[in-house]
Amino acid sequence: MRKVWLLMVGSFTLGLDAYVMAGLLPVVADDLGTTVSLAGQMVTVFTLAYAVSAPLVAGLLSGVRPRVLIVAALAVFTLGNGLTALAPGLTVLLVARAVAGVGAGVYSALSTAAAAALAGEERRGRALALVMGGMSSGTVLGVPLGVLLADHTSWRATMWLVTGLGAVALIGLAAGLPDIPAAPAVPVRARLAALADRKVLPIVGVSFLGAVASLGLYTYLAPVLASSGGVGDGAVAPYLWAWGIGGVLGSVVAGPLVDRTGRVFALVTGIVLALVVAIGVLPLLGAAAYPALVVWGAAGWAFQVPQQHRLLALRAERGTVALALNNSALYLGSAVGSGAAGLALAGGLAPAYLPWAAAAVAAAGLVLHLLHRAPARPAAAGSADTAAAGTRRA
């Protein structure tokens, strides 16, 4: 498990970068002379690039050892953040966020599978939770600090902080990550079969809808709080802390629960239900939304651990392909959610109504989950050992 901690360092930086922009939208929009809804599209671009990069790049680089790809992906991610800090206008900013998203998407998918392989089958849940915990820790520790730094200096200083952390993680992984053998490439027919697999699609669909609701709404948390509770831009940080603390708790607890109980279907049911309720009550609580934000963060971050565990429990050849598909669905959902919310705001919808729309999407995910109760088959022997390269092959 010590080797998995190296992967968590990179995930910490990804967590900071992916979510700090939600707290910076008003100041970025003001600095670039644009609207919050247009500035929010940099989150959409990042997450869309994140979603499509893993399966596309992985397919083109079949046969390359995962360690090489992990280090290269983190290098691209760091470069994209440096370009973000230097962006003179919205167009360059969107391109830079796309570059960072490509690196982040490849790194996230490969690091998740590598963690499962390094930990072994019996401790797979803990390894997945550790990597997810890195992202949630980056959110709870880094995002409020990044917003605070931007308040006292500029949003560009925050992006230089992210760039520096990415460089540190890159050096650490290049020096300390052990080599992981590349497994044989999955045939194109097997990859396409995963797209039509009746066991895979419902799980991935639930991940997509959960991301539309949770991650898409988080992009516009600042205007939602301002509309429903009168929370000004300078007072958003404590609410981000609440969401992030919940995320750390959820990601830490989810892994051991999966390993000890094995009841992944029941866990997903409870988590998605909690997500629906927590998001739905936000407009009613207004400035007193701290408890709902903690539950929302916990559910959102805990959600993917049992989801990934279910997909890795499929037979090795298709389970690892499904894992990459799930990662893509997660961030495609974030892109769709943030993009749709931005369009709604641009069309005149009051931000206070966004949580109810998001709760309805999460409820649709819960219905889809309950309609497909059949559990995944137990993992075949050795599937954890081949997981690291499987996402790369997707």
Side-chain angles (χ1 to χ4, degrees):
M1 292 292 288
R2 292 181 180 178
K3 298 173 183 178
V4 178
W5 282 86
L6 292 170
L7 297 168
M8 192 193 77
V9 174
S11 296
F12 176 92
T13 309
L14 261 65
L16 169 58
D17 187 44
Y19 298 102
V20 73
M21 302 310 293
L24 300 179
L25 287 186
V27 294
V28 172
D30 183 65
D31 181 51
L32 299 181
T34 186
T35 65
V36 171
S37 59
L38 284 177
Q41 298 313 303
M42 66 182 175
V43 179
T44 303
V45 168
F46 178 91
T47 50
L48 185 60
Y50 195 127
V52 303
S53 60
L56 177 61
V57 175
L60 293 174
L61 298 177
S62 178
V64 180
R65 289 183 178 272
R67 180 182 180 277
V68 175
L69 286 180
I70 287 173
V71 172
L74 197 55
V76 172
F77 167 76
T78 303
L79 174 63
N81 285 313
L83 293 174
T84 299
L86 295 170
L90 184 61
T91 300
V92 176
L93 179 65
L94 294 178
V95 173
R97 298 314 296 155
V99 172
V102 168
V106 176
Y107 177 85
S108 180
L110 291 174
S111 63
T112 300
L118 291 171
E121 185 175 345
E122 293 182 356
R123 306 182 72 181
R124 180 187 295 167
R126 287 177 173 82
L128 293 173
L130 190 60
V131 175
M132 293 297 294
M135 291 195 70
S136 60
S137 297
T139 301
V140 68
L141 297 175
V143 169
L145 292 177
V147 173
L148 183 64
L149 178 61
D151 288 340
H152 287 81
T153 55
S154 71
W155 66 271
R156 297 180 190 276
T158 299
M159 294 313 302
W160 281 122
L161 172 64
V162 176
T163 303
L165 290 175
V168 170
L170 174 62
I171 294 171
L173 285 169
L177 184 66
D179 198 20
I180 303 169
V186 176
V188 174
R189 180 177 296 179
R191 297 176 194 164
L192 295 177
L195 296 174
D197 194 316
R198 293 183 179 180
K199 292 183 178 180
V200 170
L201 284 183
I203 300 174
V204 172
V206 173
S207 292
F208 172 79
L209 293 173
V212 170
S214 181
L215 301 180
L217 179 62
Y218 182 80
T219 302
Y220 294 97
L221 179 58
V224 166
L225 291 173
S227 178
S228 62
V231 179
D233 294 342
V236 172
Y239 296 91
L240 298 176
W241 275 103
W243 189 85
I245 289 171
V248 171
L249 293 175
S251 59
V252 168
V253 170
L257 281 177
V258 168
D259 288 341
R260 292 175 185 175
T261 68
R263 301 181 63 184
V264 291
F265 186 90
L267 285 174
V268 173
T269 302
I271 288 170
V272 179
L273 180 60
L275 184 65
V276 172
V277 174
I279 291 177
V281 299
L282 279 177
L284 304 178
L285 297 177
Y290 293 106
L293 287 168
V294 171
V295 175
W296 171 16
W301 283 102
F303 177 50
Q304 285 306 310
V305 174
Q307 287 286 89
Q308 291 169 342
H309 199 279
R310 293 181 75 194
L311 291 169
L312 283 173
L314 299 170
R315 59 191 176 95
E317 182 184 68
R318 193 169 296 173
T320 50
V321 173
L323 180 61
L325 186 62
N326 187 71
N327 283 335
S328 294
L330 178 63
Y331 281 89
L332 180 60
S334 179
V336 170
S338 60
L343 290 175
L345 293 179
L349 181 71
Y353 291 107
L354 287 180
W356 289 333
V361 175
L366 178 60
V367 171
L368 177 61
H369 171 70
L370 293 175
L371 289 176
H372 295 82
R373 185 176 179 81
R377 290 181 295 169
S383 62
D385 296 329
T386 60
T391 303
R392 171 186 53 76
R393 303 189 311 255

